Amino acid sequence: MKIRLADTRGFCAGVDRAIEIVKKVLEMNGAPVYVKHEVVHNKTVVNELKSLGAIFVEEIEDVPDGEIVIYSAHGVSKVVESDSKEKSLDVFDATCPLVSKVHAEVNTYAKLGYDCLLVGHLNHPEVEGTMGQFDTSYGGTITLIETLDDVNKLKFADGKNLAFVTQTTLSVDDTLEITNLLVTKFPDITGPKKDDICYATQNRQDAVKQLALESDLVLVIGSINSSNSNRLREIAERSGVDSYLIDSSDDLQDSWLKGKENIGVTSGASAPEHLVRELINSLEKDYGYSLQGSNEITDEGIAFRLPKGLR
Ligand code: SF4
């Protein structure tokens, strides 16, 4: 009975940076420090930062005037930025630079007066932030596209003055279908070469596809609100194997393992590696599986600098 690990898994550069920002700000200023939304979507990380003195809030109005606030890795809207100014908040921005890149694209399209389409998931904080970065005062609009059907319903006359961007943590395959349809329907549409899906999402999806080929069960460590972790579970399931998303080894259920000889394990971009080690330990000690191959993580060669004032 074997366990195999995805060689590309766990923390990405944007998550590493966001957690480091919260820790550094706490170190420099002492507790409490306010954080707008979960800085990254992981229960264990959030609980650890809470224990160090971080207070997580959903609305800027919940931060007392003049206090420090940190924006989460998912980014924020222009309204959040201006509300922070009005309350004289001292802002540290943990928005992932790859999300900021999409904000910059959206800002450019807004200033050109273009209509913009954002391919993404309704209610995800990154989508709320990106939609809210689009300045409609230049005359353009921004529309959320979730499905192929949404594209079919679009009523724009042509692709001139029309652009698209995408959320960074989508399914690469689903997004390709949507962007292909957009380009077919609006040949003149402007957009990124392929999409705005980040390197970490792409690499983890490639790795889980490979892992699923060698497994009859894939366990993904990640929290339920983590977009990229949910996509990993879906991809494994679409490859024809059972797959579960779990926060930690505590969520493991005996019935999932019945008759399973080859277990694949991976983790989302916001899941700490120690949770993977604990899961492997539990599968070995409590269930008699043994880890095959290396437990090393591939170095993706990406690191982001901390904001000024924290370096
Ligand atoms: Fe940045 Fe991608 Fe990580 Fe999100 S998953 S924080 S976009 S690198």
Side-chain angles (χ1 to χ4, degrees):
M1 301 207 302
K2 298 169 188 163
I3 312 164
R4 283 191 188 79
L5 272 168
D7 55 5
T8 309
R9 62 181 184 273
F11 278 6
C12 60
V15 162
D16 253 339
R17 176 177 178 271
I19 296 170
E20 187 63 16
I21 289 173
V22 180
K23 287 186 174 168
K24 280 245 164 161
V25 173
L26 278 164
E27 225 176 81
M28 284 166 50
N29 299 281
V33 157
Y34 292 83
V35 184
K36 164 115 181 41
H37 194 69
E38 292 189 354
V39 69
V40 301
H41 284 159
N42 186 270
K43 206 164 95 179
T44 307
V45 171
V46 167
N47 286 339
E48 189 205 337
L49 295 174
K50 271 185 191 166
S51 74
L52 296 175
I55 298 177
F56 292 90
V57 297
E58 285 309 312
E59 305 301 334
I60 282 297
E61 66 188 30
D62 297 331
V63 183
D65 290 4
E67 286 288 341
I68 290 175
V69 70
I70 300 170
Y71 297 154
S72 80
H74 316 96
V76 299
S77 66
K78 284 189 188 297
V79 171
V80 169
E81 290 168 348
S82 64
D83 287 352
S84 303
K85 232 181 226 170
E86 228 164 77
K87 287 172 71 64
S88 307
L89 301 180
D90 192 1
V91 174
F92 289 90
D93 191 358
T95 304
C96 175
L98 300 180
V99 174
S100 299
K101 180 179 141 274
V102 181
H103 287 186
E105 289 167 8
V106 156
N107 273 308
T108 303
Y109 297 138
K111 283 181 186 153
L112 289 169
Y114 278 26
D115 292 308
C116 187
L117 308 171
L118 167 60
V119 183
H121 295 299
L122 183 70
N123 294 332
H124 189 278
E126 181 186 326
V127 165
E128 288 173 3
T130 304
M131 300 276 290
Q133 283 291 329
F134 190 91
D135 186 345
T136 51
S137 68
Y138 294 95
T141 59
I142 186 156
T143 307
L144 179 63
I145 300 292
E146 290 192 277
T147 62
L148 290 169
D149 207 33
D150 291 341
V151 179
N152 286 324
K153 285 182 192 148
L154 290 172
K155 292 272 188 280
F156 298 101
D158 55 38
K160 285 177 195 136
N161 302 338
L162 185 64
F164 77 90
V165 295
T166 79
Q167 191 180 333
T168 56
T169 51
L170 300 175
S171 150
V172 173
D173 295 339
D174 293 352
T175 306
L176 187 64
E177 279 188 41
I178 292 181
T179 56
N180 278 346
L181 184 59
L182 279 173
V183 173
T184 307
K185 196 166 169 181
F186 305 108
D188 294 328
I189 196 167
T190 307
K193 234 186 212 159
K194 210 164 57 112
D195 53 49
D196 297 294
I197 294 172
C198 72
Y199 79 96
T201 299
Q202 170 88 57
N203 291 349
R204 280 151 193 69
Q205 289 183 14
D206 290 346
V208 82
K209 270 186 196 164
Q210 186 55 41
L211 186 71
L213 293 177
E214 304 160 349
S215 311
D216 41 26
L217 169 70
V218 170
L219 298 173
V220 180
I221 300 261
S223 288
I224 189 75
N225 56 348
S226 160
S227 172
N228 81 87
S229 304
N230 275 289
R231 302 295 81 78
L232 295 179
R233 192 203 63 74
E234 278 169 15
I235 287 167
E237 200 173 64
R238 284 183 192 174
S239 307
V241 297
D242 290 347
S243 183
Y244 299 96
L245 177 64
I246 53 175
D247 260 304
S248 72
S249 56
D250 293 344
D251 299 337
L252 209 50
Q253 292 187 22
D254 295 355
S255 59
W256 298 346
L257 304 174
K258 259 193 200 135
K260 305 296 188 195
E261 294 287 328
N262 293 293
I263 299 188
V265 173
T266 187
S267 54
S270 44
E273 180 64 9
H274 71 86
L275 298 176
V276 173
R277 308 279 158 166
E278 283 160 27
L279 176 63
I280 302 299
N281 276 346
S282 170
L283 288 169
E284 289 186 333
K285 284 200 187 120
D286 305 332
Y287 297 95
Y289 289 88
S290 67
L291 181 62
Q292 305 291 299
S294 160
N295 60 9
E296 294 298 310
I297 301 176
T298 305
D299 180 1
E300 294 170 281
I302 309 264
F304 297 132
R305 275 161 40 115
L306 292 177
K308 272 187 205 148
L310 295 179
R311 287 175 200 151

